[in-house]
Amino acid sequence: MLPRPTPGPPEALPGSRGFAVVDVEATGRSPWRHRVVEVAVVLLNERLRPEGEFATLLDPLGPVGPTHVHRIRQADVEGAPRFREIAPRLLELLAGRVLVGHHVSCDHAFLDREFARIGVPLPPVPLLCTMGLARAHLPEARSHGLAACVEAAGLGWYPAHTALGDARVTAELLRHCVGVPSCPPDDWTGPLREAARVPWPRLGRARSRPSGTAVRLLRREASYGPWLPGSAAPELVLTRAGAMGSTA
């Protein structure tokens, strides 16, 4: 559960829609050669209050890549939507918001390339990196990877290397970092002002496939216990969501 909201920005920010905390799991390390196989977005308003979330596995149209890292098997993505099928919904969720992530430039690069593959250039969206915030405002962290920062902030267990698990805990880490006295308000309200001025493209939604079947999300959740490399992985439950449109 997200902690108590931090105080809001000192002035109204017309047009701002808040933050989109993102995480992707991919078939490899290169945005140019590899594909997104899972994406999650946690929405926060400009006062860092939760507004909704979106998550789905994706069909990468090829091998899923390092299963030993993200624990996604080839069978798990059977019937999952393709990126182009969720692209309109993603654009709606990201528009007008600051893009937040832990090492956000990596998540941004993968999303940028996926949109480029379908001919949609992403605008110059403001980025806010929780790794950078942790370097400046979480000196007790033993390193600046997500797990170490989460541990230093006392945020508890999360299902690492699941897109939704990482996005949820990154949202908590953002709230922790901006709430410490050493973090000046402009570190996070400045990007909000920029985001409100960025024009975003729109796409018509893909409501069904050529076969006529609805485009449905395929979401995974860890069903029990923590997972660490070298230990038994928790069972991941796949859930068929309804047709696209809900952020719940």
Side-chain angles (χ1 to χ4, degrees):
M1 178 175 288
L2 291 169
R4 181 175 56 84
T6 59
E11 59 187 51
L13 300 173
S16 170
R17 294 184 62 212
F19 303 87
V21 186
V22 300
D23 187 80
V24 304
E25 299 298 323
T27 62
R29 295 185 177 184
S30 169
W32 294 89
R33 294 187 294 110
H34 299 120
R35 303 296 300 270
V36 173
V37 72
E38 186 179 31
V39 61
V41 183
V42 172
L43 302 175
L44 304 175
N45 69 11
E46 62 184 42
R47 294 178 179 270
L48 300 176
R49 294 189 177 101
E51 292 186 315
E53 58 187 33
F54 171 94
T56 187
L57 291 167
L58 295 172
D59 181 355
L61 304 177
V64 295
T67 298
H68 67 284
V69 176
H70 52 49
R71 301 173 335 270
I72 299 169
R73 301 164 302 172
Q74 204 69 40
D76 294 336
V77 300
E78 291 180 3
R82 300 175 181 182
F83 185 86
R84 62 177 171 78
E85 293 174 320
I86 66 154
R89 183 59 178 145
L90 269 185
L91 286 176
E92 292 175 1
L93 296 174
L94 301 179
R97 296 180 185 266
V98 179
L99 197 67
V100 182
H102 201 77
H103 196 187
V104 68
S105 60
C106 179
D107 298 290
H108 176 262
F110 272 101
L111 291 177
D112 185 63
R113 286 302 306 153
E114 289 287 359
F115 277 109
R117 288 185 179 101
I118 60 170
V120 179
L122 283 186
V125 55
L127 306 180
L128 184 58
C129 185
T130 53
M131 179 181 288
L133 288 173
R135 287 182 189 274
H137 307 297
L138 198 61
E140 60 271 34
R142 53 185 168 80
S143 70
H144 296 106
L146 182 57
C149 292
V150 167
E151 179 184 21
L155 298 177
W157 173 82
Y158 69 102
H161 296 296
T162 65
L164 186 56
D166 285 356
R168 284 171 173 168
V169 83
T170 298
E172 295 189 29
L173 183 61
L174 170 67
R175 293 166 60 128
H176 177 88
C177 288
V178 303
V180 301
S182 63
C183 185
D186 203 53
D187 276 10
W188 56 292
T189 58
L192 283 173
R193 296 185 189 94
E194 296 176 39
R197 298 191 291 266
V198 175
W200 276 79
R202 295 182 65 86
L203 287 172
R205 290 200 190 177
R207 299 186 182 279
S208 65
R209 295 175 169 174
S211 64
T213 58
V215 176
R216 295 182 178 275
L217 305 182
L218 183 56
R219 179 161 156 167
R220 64 173 182 158
E221 298 270 7
S223 64
Y224 65 86
W227 180 86
L228 294 171
S231 67
E235 181 181 353
L236 295 172
V237 178
L238 301 183
T239 304
R240 285 280 173 197
M244 285 189 299
S246 172
T247 56

